[in-house]
Structure formats: C-alpha cells, structure tokens
Amino acid sequence: IHPGYGFLSENAGFAKACEEAGVAFIGPTPQQLETCGLKHVCRDIARDAGVPLLEGSKLLESAEEALKTAVEVGFPVILKSSAGGGGIGMQIANAAEEVPSLYDQVRRLSQSNFGDPSLFLEKYIVRARHIEVQVFGDGTGNVISLGERDCSVQRRNQKVIEETPAPGLNDEERKQIADAAIRIAKSVNYRSAGTVEFLWDDLDRQFYFLEVNARLQVEHGVTEEVWGIDLVEWMIRLAANELPNLEDLPRSESPNGHAIQARIYAEDANKNFQPSSGLVTEFVAPDDARCDTWIRSGTEVPSFYDPMVAKVISHRPDRESAIKGLEEALSKFACHGIETNQAYVSSILSSEAFAEASITTRFLNDFRFKPPTIDVLDPGLETTVQDFPGRIGMWDVGVPPSGPFDPLSFRLGNQLLGNEEDVAGLEMAVRGPKLKFNTDVAVCLTGADMNAKLDGKPIERFAPVSVKAGQVLKLKDVSGPGQRAYLLLQGGMDVPTYLGSRSTFRLGKFGGHGGRALKAGDVLHLGTSPASVPSLSETQVPELTNNWEIRVVYGP
C-alpha cells in the first residue's frame, strides 16, 4: 500500500499495522517514521553525524523554560512542534513578551494536529532559503542523493513553488549539502524515498539541518523530471524486493536541465487565501507541461481536505526557459467554478526577485498581488453572464435560445469599449448588484437605468467609464422604462463556453458563472480579449419606452 504524501505517509502506527497484517508499507520502516517524525530526535541524529545545526533547545517543559532559553539563544527565535510537518505548529518570536503566548499556541496546534504537544525552539534566520535534498535508501545502509531543491517560495510555511537544481549554489556547496543528507540517512539505514531539509543562510552562505521528511514529497516531480526517473516506481519495486543495487538504477549522471513546479491551491489569494470549494465547471490542463491532478470538469471540490488541486511542472534546458515554460503552461491552465491561486503564482513567476533567484522564505510576507477580478458583494435580484448571439440552434436537443434579452444595448456596450461583439458581460434584471473591483478596468453600462453609482458618485450610461482597483460600483432598482441593464467590461469576462456560448442557462444549470445567477461572495474574472478603438455616435443610443411595436406574421 502506497500512502501518498499526506498524514498517513508519516504515521508509524499505520505502517506497523500494515506490516503486522502482511501488507507491504511502501515507505520507510515504522521505526524510521517514529525516529524521523520527531524533529528534536532528528536534531540529535544530525549532530552525531557532524551536520551543522542552528542553536536551539531540547524539548521544552514550560513557557518559563522557553522564555529563558530564547533569551540565551537571542531573538528572533522560532518555536516548533516536534511532531508532524507541513509547516503546522511554527511561530516566530521577535521579543521576550511574545514567547509565553506563542508557546501555548504551538502546544495547542501540535496536540490538535498530531496528538503530541512537545515543542522546542531554534535561532531564527531572517534571510533564509529552504533547501532540501532528495535521498533514496535501500534499508541496509546504502543511500544515494538525487540533487537538491529550492522551496523558499512559501506562505505560512507552506510551499508554493519548488525548483531543482537550487539556483545560486556552486558545485562545492551542492556537494556539501548532499553529503550531509546522505550521512543522516545512512545513520538510520534509511529505506525508500525521503527528504533531508536544510536552512541556507544567504548572508553567511552556510547551511543548517532543519528536519527529515520520511516520505515522498509533494515536489518529487521536479526531481523526476531532471534525473529521468520515477521515484514511485522505485519505492514500489523496493517494497516488492525487486529493486537492483542503487548504483545500478537507471538515471542521469547529473541533473538534465531545470524543472520548476507550481502548486495550484483551491483558495482566493485576494481574500487572505480563503479556501474555495464547489463544482469545477471546466478544467483544462496545459498540453506542454506535466500536470499532476485529481480533478477534471465536473469534479466537486469539497471543503474537508488539503486545498491542493494540481501541480504544474515545467522542465526546460535552463532556469530562464523553465520559468517561461511554466508561465506559458499556467496561462493555458483553467479551473472554472472555484477560485485558485493560479494568477497569484503567475504573478510571483513574473517578479524581478524570482527571476534573480533572490527569494528567501519571507518573500511572500510582503508580496503584493492585484488580481484581475471583481468581487460580488451583493448579487442583485437576477444577475447573469450573457454573450451575443447566445446559445442558439439547439432546440432539437431541448435547449432553448440563451443570450441577452436586449441584444442591441448589449452589443452597443461592447462596441463602446472596443470589444468584439461576442464578448461576455453581465445582464441585470430589475435590481442591480454591488461589485468591488480588484483591478483597473474600463466599463460601460447600457440598457435600463439602474441609478448606478461608483463610490457614491453617479456615472453615465452608454459611455466608457474608468474604474480603479478598490472602487465599488452599486446599482439600484430600475427607474424608468425597461427592466434589464447591462455591464460590459473591456476585455470581456473569463468564463468557459458551453455548447458554443458563455450565456447562462439557469434551467439547464450550465453556462455563465456556474450555470446560475450570481451569489454574494462570487468572484468574476476579467478576460483578455483584444480591444480596438471604440466608436459610437449619439444617434445610435437606443431610446427605451413603454410602448412596443410588435410585428405579427402567420405561423406554421
């Protein structure tokens, strides 16, 4: 049984139960899981192996002892849960008065997540990089290294982007880190795939032991790409006693090119990374990059599990082309129906700091991101996504025509913004929505008058209006003739097509935004359709009245 890389993969009790039942646990031995699963024990192993350690403590028994030790070590310090992983149970103390409350907080997190409240502290490096070494052992003392990965792009101690080889290290530094990892793994006769993690002091150019992850890592794919191997296959063959000598395993003699991975999480980066769940209405994986995922169109993403929905990996001859390849792959990646951090990751990749490889583990703390989105604060009475000409010609399969009720006003709005006439926009009936813009964009209101105000100031209909990031557009009830108004956006909206149209068909529950009218909390994504120079004369603006002239012809 392969436990993946979740909590079960480091559960010594589960591994022991498997072996007692005659089932091969595809991973380290239960004893190794117990040993490597406790960070304070691993520190002792690393010390005995002659690996550099940060100044720190044994297990702490009280907040008073934590405070005394922190003062001796010198601030800042980091308090860590001894059990578990994934960045859970880590808190940085910058001053003495912060230690008691953080001590209690880390104990609670450790107990609730891992059933073990033990913790210790270490000196905290301000300009640190997270470097880890992939190792593989046969359980008899033979261990090989498969290069190092840089995992410094982290948010709340959770990795976001990983790459190999780690940029900025020379050959001697790579060899020293790899040798240290091998010594630690050999000292416990390590079996299967594992990772030895280090902190790299960017100022002193010195590495320090951090912990051992006795399991397959989420980011193992970048190592597989550059070494031309399949770590999972190796793990399975070892568990089946079918693995040849480690030195005889087929692999590249050295890393071939550069690989970078982006973790795609179901979360809204613009709302303090609020988790997102729901139905994936359209999923598109890039065709020119490796994409490891468990979802597809129609998958329901629940709220009960880890938010990672995909890993996108770019492998190219060098780091610069690998970055470009990942940017291109993410531009083709689509996951409609839920929010993901796709645009956030793309923004990181395009930053100057990432290009220069000058990122530390604190980089994302101050990283500013403005998504091309609109937050729905109030959906109004009946606000839906429509496009022109809509979904037509489908009566033979039971789908009636969809599209804007007032196609003339809709098309004129797109024309005023220089959009193509089939670009999607919002149709609002009777009472309009309240929308917050997260980026600058030109908009145009057409159709019935809903007394629209931008940050409390009235705006004109049938005219382009520039909206700035942070501004709120509020529409009220219809006043005067007409019952439907339209909000068009320069570049349109990024929604998937269904049966040839982006229009919402509520009865069929497809098209538009999730196949329904908007709800409070929805996030609308702006499109990137090319715009031309708008042109519209005053005589083309339609006059809405309460009188309709209807043409009647004999029907069949």
Side-chain angles (χ1 to χ4, degrees), residues 149-202:
R149 300 182 286 252
D150 189 313
C151 308
S152 302
V153 183
Q154 303 179 7
R155 188 188 63 78
R156 298 173 187 164
N157 300 313
Q158 194 73 15
K159 299 165 188 173
V160 179
I161 296 175
E162 301 103 338
E163 59 181 308
T164 188
L169 302 185
N170 60 44
D171 291 343
E172 180 59 27
E173 290 166 340
R174 296 185 201 280
K175 184 177 184 304
Q176 289 177 2
I177 293 178
D179 289 346
I182 290 174
R183 290 201 303 274
I184 291 172
K186 279 187 173 182
S187 69
V188 296
N189 290 328
Y190 191 81
R191 183 185 80 181
S192 200
T195 305
V196 185
E197 306 200 352
F198 300 91
L199 280 181
W200 172 267
D201 190 325
D202 223 20

Side-chain angles (χ1 to χ4, degrees), residues 406-417:
D406 178 359
L408 178 57
S409 293
F410 187 92
R411 295 168 70 189
L412 290 176
N414 272 330
Q415 185 179 343
L416 279 162
L417 294 170

Side-chain angles (χ1 to χ4, degrees), residues 505-519:
F505 177 33
R506 289 189 59 209
L507 195 60
K509 297 182 180 180
F510 57 74
H513 186 85
R516 56 170 171 78
L518 298 187
K519 296 180 180 179

Side-chain angles (χ1 to χ4, degrees), residues 338-354:
I338 62 172
E339 286 305 298
T340 73
N341 66 335
Q342 173 189 353
Y344 177 71
V345 173
S346 296
S347 184
I348 297 170
L349 290 171
S350 62
S351 69
E352 184 178 343
F354 190 84

